[in-house]
Amino acid sequence: QVQLVESGGGLVQAGGSLRLSCAVSGGSFRQSVMGWFRQAPGKEREFVGSISWSGARMLYTDSVKGRFTISRDNAKNTGHLQMDSLKPEDTAVYYCAAARSGAAYGGQSKTADYDYWGQGTQVTVSA
């Protein structure tokens, strides 16, 4: 059973930074595409970014390009989302997700592309 656990959320002022982590257990993490999503109150879950097996390729939604960076450490079965220059509109519950092992990377950006999800971590950005 694949399990994902996010950490690192919290309250930060606009312009500040946070680094989210996603610890993965079970399965074959090093062969799984990883994605990050977020969901604000009253809104649908939206794509933030994704990263290939090796970490060489990433895709970001336009609103976070240049501010957020996704990375992964396959040796530690951990993924990260570095968030800089945070804005109040970034406030949401952030989720990490993993696709089934072996799925080729194609910039997966839909919730249906992922098979495993973490429980989410709250990020609140104050003005």
Side-chain angles (χ1 to χ4, degrees):
Q1 182 71 18
V2 178
Q3 292 186 322
L4 290 78
V5 179
E6 300 98 337
S7 61
L11 174 64
V12 65
Q13 289 187 331
S17 298
L18 280 175
R19 187 182 193 223
L20 305 184
S21 295
C22 177
V24 182
S25 60
S28 181
F29 175 72
R30 63 185 64 231
Q31 292 183 318
S32 295
V33 172
M34 169 173 268
W36 287 90
F37 290 75
R38 64 187 181 185
Q39 188 166 18
K43 295 187 177 181
E44 293 187 351
R45 192 169 299 189
E46 67 169 351
F47 173 73
V48 173
S50 61
I51 188 168
S52 63
W53 299 3
S54 67
R57 292 187 290 167
M58 288 82 75
L59 176 70
Y60 299 94
T61 193
D62 286 346
S63 62
V64 308
K65 284 180 181 177
R67 300 190 298 122
F68 290 11
T69 304
I70 295 175
S71 62
R72 63 190 295 162
D73 184 341
N74 287 339
K76 297 182 178 179
N77 285 358
T78 303
H80 300 284
L81 177 64
Q82 177 67 39
M83 304 185 294
D84 299 316
S85 301
L86 282 161
K87 304 175 181 179
E89 51 263 44
D90 294 318
T91 295
V93 177
Y94 282 72
Y95 299 89
C96 64
R100 62 175 177 79
S101 178
Y105 184 66
Q108 282 87 332
S109 62
K110 300 177 182 178
T111 56
D113 292 329
Y114 295 89
D115 301 279
Y116 308 100
W117 293 82
Q119 82 289 350
T121 186
Q122 177 70 46
V123 172
T124 302
V125 184
S126 62

